[in-house]
Amino acid sequence: MKDFYYEVVVVGSGAGGAMAAYTLAKAGHKVLMLEAGRDYDPKTETPMFKTNAQAPLMGAGNVDKDFGFYDATVDGGWTVPNEPYTTGENSDFMWWRARMLGGRTNHWGRYSLRFSEHDFKGKTRDGLGADWPFEYEELAPWYDKTETLVGICGTNTGLDDMPDSAEGVLQPPPKARVPELLVAAAAKKLGIATAPMHRAVLTRPKDNRQACFYATPCGHGCSIGAAFQTTTSLLPMAKATGNLKIITDAMVRMVDVDENGQANALTYVDKKTGKDIKLAAKVIILAASACESARLLLNSKNAHHPNGLANSSGQVGRNLMDSTGTGVGAHIPALEGRPIYNEDGHTANHLFIPWWGHKQHAKGELDFPRGYHFEIGSGFRAPGSGVSGNLQGYGKELKDQAKQYYGAGVYLALRGEMLPNEHCYMEIDDKVTDKWGIPVAKFHWKWADHELKQVEHGLKTARKILETMGATFTSPLPSADKAILKGGQIIHEVGSTRMGESPKDSVTNQYGQTWDCKNVFVMDAGVFASNPHKNCTLTIMTLAMRNASWLATQLSKGAL
């Protein structure tokens, strides 16, 4: 941009990119942001007040709208027009791209769980995967800052899988619903604790964002800013400093280098005109999502970097991980015929079941490493296109049955940690390009026994909890390999540009600075050294705030 001097170019406007831009802009540094998707204003565009009854097919999802007709992801999903990707033989992977200003933060689940001391040094404990290049204690104050800025509701529990926040950081959580209290009582009988879910939803007003009024689906987006998304918080806050400019519909093709092999520019496609534009760049932050940033680095190969930029270790695209996913649901007779009332809350679960097995792991009592948690689906919800249960009859008889069973279902969704393995990685498919001639990503995927045994344990545990609640099962549990969801389906892909302590086996240092190019940083989930069972967005933002703060100091000192 000829009319805007900038020190840093940020690629991506989601959790990592927006937090990095906000942190740098607040520190007084000029930032130019490139977003591959279109502009988006949730205050005017969100369908948050629309109901399924107003939508085609009662709002059901399809290939164009995976999470339903009114989902806040406008143009993206697992399938993006003109942007294919490929998979290797016997691999099944689903790659989500948001392709809009704000990225995935417009529609994410907003679960915001801290990683714990167990999560940062897993290899030290069990010899598997990789350690992070720092301890939990170093990140704890940055978690406090991020939770305060974002606005996280929840409580300090004292549980070993849920590190406490500093006093006064967390906003009050909403009250547990009746089905969740029943889950909690059943889990307690089995020696398993439940806790309020920590979530990036305001229960008290903050800056110019309003508190949630518990009436609309968070996945539709939130025009009042109660449900966190960068388009109602970090981006406008950063722009208000006068230090951030944003270019949308800017599909980055490659990072360019000078005669010494150091990055000095970016080339992007203006999607509106189809023309390539080259921008000089003093410092570059890649935060386009784990796999998109890795794709960009691999496509930026040249004589100085024949295997791709920042890839002297050969680790770009490797160590790809997603969360494990499966679940068990059941009809609970005790919940039948309840008086019907507004049980929406902040739409997602108010209680959940955190991992309880760290001591069992330490004693060697489990046949799988790492852990998982259960998210609870239950309660009265707006009807969709499907009808659950074995309803019989017509007219009033049918309606009475539907009312009797309404809200009596409970679903326990497992989300677990995956370890990196040699079969899970991405590379560039040099035979396929997207609409703009950019070579696409090719994915290779295979779940390991670690994950399958974890899922087997989780299925059995979920069934025990539901049976304790009064559920009856007449069929056997599915095998783990049949029950586990596909790679990428949970949309928690991480690790493709992992950080570490040595340039021999990692792509970046602890600040997301690539070993090979000191002025190129990665600030999305690609830098994760492991993929704990907790949802990754809070840690993406926390790392971005910490690492961008370090970068701001380096810029001020003239070190970059």
Side-chain angles (χ1 to χ4, degrees):
M1 300 182 75
K2 296 180 180 179
D3 59 340
F4 181 72
Y5 166 78
Y6 53 89
E7 298 171 87
V8 182
V9 177
V10 176
V11 181
S13 61
M19 182 62 82
Y22 168 81
T23 302
L24 289 163
K26 288 286 286 185
H29 298 286
K30 299 288 186 180
V31 180
L32 178 63
M33 176 177 284
L34 302 179
E35 165 55 50
R38 75 163 177 86
D39 196 5
Y40 173 70
D41 179 7
K43 291 187 175 181
T44 59
E45 292 190 60
T46 179
M48 62 183 288
F49 295 104
K50 298 290 187 180
T51 65
N52 289 337
Q54 296 172 277
L57 303 176
M58 286 289 288
N62 55 38
V63 70
D64 296 317
K65 281 283 192 176
D66 297 288
F67 286 92
F69 186 81
Y70 291 125
D71 183 69
T73 298
V74 178
D75 297 319
W78 283 304
T79 302
V80 179
N82 303 312
E83 293 191 48
Y85 58 89
T86 62
T87 55
E89 187 176 358
N90 298 320
S91 294
D92 204 350
F93 187 86
M94 303 169 66
W95 186 23
W96 181 277
R97 276 91 31 97
R99 293 296 182 256
M100 62 191 296
L101 187 67
R104 302 179 191 182
T105 68
N106 293 298
H107 100 131
W108 65 303
R110 297 176 174 86
Y111 299 140
S112 301
L113 302 168
R114 292 187 180 203
F115 293 177
S116 74
E117 60 179 337
H118 303 278
D119 299 319
F120 290 100
K121 296 294 180 181
K123 184 177 182 181
T124 297
R125 289 198 325 276
D126 58 28
L128 301 171
D131 284 339
W132 295 65
F134 49 78
E135 303 274 358
Y136 167 75
E137 287 74 16
E138 184 173 340
L139 204 60
W142 294 100
Y143 272 128
D144 286 336
K145 293 177 182 179
T146 302
E147 290 172 343
T148 300
L149 175 63
V150 169
I152 306 294
C153 65
T155 58
N156 289 331
T157 65
L159 297 172
D160 64 358
D161 198 50
M162 295 185 69
D164 286 350
S165 303
E167 187 69 27
V169 167
L170 297 174
Q171 295 197 354
K175 293 182 179 180
R177 307 173 180 94
V178 169
E180 293 168 334
L181 293 173
L182 193 57
V183 171
K188 185 177 181 180
K189 290 181 180 179
L190 300 173
I192 300 172
T194 52
M197 175 59 82
H198 289 201
R199 200 155 181 253
V201 175
L202 299 180
T203 57
R204 300 289 184 271
K206 189 174 187 64
D207 45 65
N208 63 348
R209 292 172 283 162
Q210 301 175 45
C212 180
F213 48 77
Y214 303 157
T216 70
C218 296
H220 289 187
C222 186
S223 65
I224 65 171
F228 178 85
Q229 52 201 92
T230 64
T231 40
T232 55
S233 55
L234 297 179
L235 294 177
M237 290 158 64
K239 289 177 71 174
T241 67
N243 293 329
L244 173 67
K245 297 292 183 183
I246 301 173
I247 302 176
T248 54
D249 292 300
M251 187 77 173
V252 178
R253 181 183 296 279
M254 68 175 66
V255 177
D256 301 283
V257 299
D258 61 21
E259 64 276 7
N260 298 314
Q262 290 302 302
N264 67 349
L266 283 168
T267 298
Y268 74 89
V269 182
D270 182 337
K271 291 165 64 175
K272 294 180 179 178
T273 66
K275 295 181 179 179
D276 277 10
I277 297 175
K278 189 172 182 177
L279 285 175
K282 178 182 178 182
V283 176
I284 297 168
I285 295 175
L286 302 181
S289 83
C291 295
E292 191 67 66
S293 291
R295 176 194 180 201
L296 179 52
L297 290 173
L298 291 172
N299 274 326
S300 298
K301 60 183 179 180
N302 51 63
H304 296 281
H305 306 280
N307 297 318
L309 194 70
N311 195 28
S312 62
S313 65
Q315 295 300 304
V316 174
R318 298 282 166 173
N319 311 301
L320 183 60
M321 297 168 278
D322 188 20
S323 297
T324 59
T326 190
V328 180
H331 177 82
I332 308 300
L335 295 174
E336 289 183 14
R338 293 188 294 138
I340 297 173
Y341 56 94
N342 182 355
E343 206 170 40
D344 287 341
H346 61 21
T347 66
N349 44 210
H350 293 176
L351 291 184
F352 83 115
I353 301 175
W355 176 237
W356 63 93
H358 288 303
K359 293 180 180 177
Q360 291 173 277
H361 271 149
K363 295 177 181 178
E365 296 175 352
L366 299 173
D367 65 353
F368 61 95
R370 314 303 169 87
Y372 60 85
H373 70 260
F374 286 120
E375 298 167 8
I376 303 170
S378 67
F380 300 129
R381 294 290 181 271
S385 60
V387 178
S388 61
N390 184 23
L391 304 182
Q392 302 293 327
Y394 300 92
K396 185 178 184 303
E397 178 187 2
L398 184 65
K399 291 181 180 179
D400 289 344
Q401 289 179 56
K403 289 180 180 179
Q404 179 72 10
Y405 299 148
Y406 178 52
V410 172
Y411 186 81
L412 299 180
L414 178 150
R415 299 290 180 264
E417 176 164 358
M418 175 192 176
L419 285 163
N421 70 66
E422 62 180 348
H423 304 289
C424 295
Y425 63 96
M426 61 158 287
E427 60 182 346
I428 296 301
D429 190 330
D430 55 11
K431 298 179 180 179
V432 181
T433 61
D434 62 19
K435 177 181 178 180
W436 301 278
I438 304 172
V440 306
K442 182 177 182 178
F443 294 95
H444 301 264
W445 193 265
K446 182 181 179 181
W447 292 113
D449 286 343
H450 295 315
E451 288 76 51
L452 296 178
K453 289 180 179 178
Q454 176 201 98
V455 164
E456 181 181 10
H457 184 275
L459 291 171
K460 292 177 180 177
T461 303
R463 178 169 281 198
K464 285 181 183 177
I465 294 171
L466 293 169
E467 286 176 336
T468 305
M469 295 174 68
T472 300
F473 293 90
T474 58
S475 58
L477 286 168
S479 61
D481 63 323
K482 296 292 193 299
I484 194 169
L485 297 180
K486 298 176 182 179
Q489 197 166 356
I490 303 299
I491 320 179
H492 290 170
E493 70 273 13
V494 308
S496 53
T497 52
R498 78 174 177 195
M499 62 169 59
E501 296 182 341
S502 168
K504 294 181 180 180
D505 59 6
S506 60
V507 179
T508 83
N509 64 16
Q510 65 169 309
Y511 298 108
Q513 182 183 39
T514 61
W515 296 109
D516 300 349
C517 297
K518 301 302 183 184
N519 63 337
V520 176
F521 291 73
V522 181
M523 294 195 188
D524 54 31
V527 300
F528 282 29
S530 67
N531 192 25
H533 65 85
K534 291 104 169 181
N535 312 61
C536 50
T537 306
L538 177 66
T539 301
I540 294 173
M541 291 191 286
T542 301
L543 285 174
M545 178 189 283
R546 169 188 180 267
N547 296 349
S549 295
W550 181 85
L551 171 57
T553 300
Q554 299 300 302
L555 289 169
S556 296
K557 293 192 305 185
L560 285 172

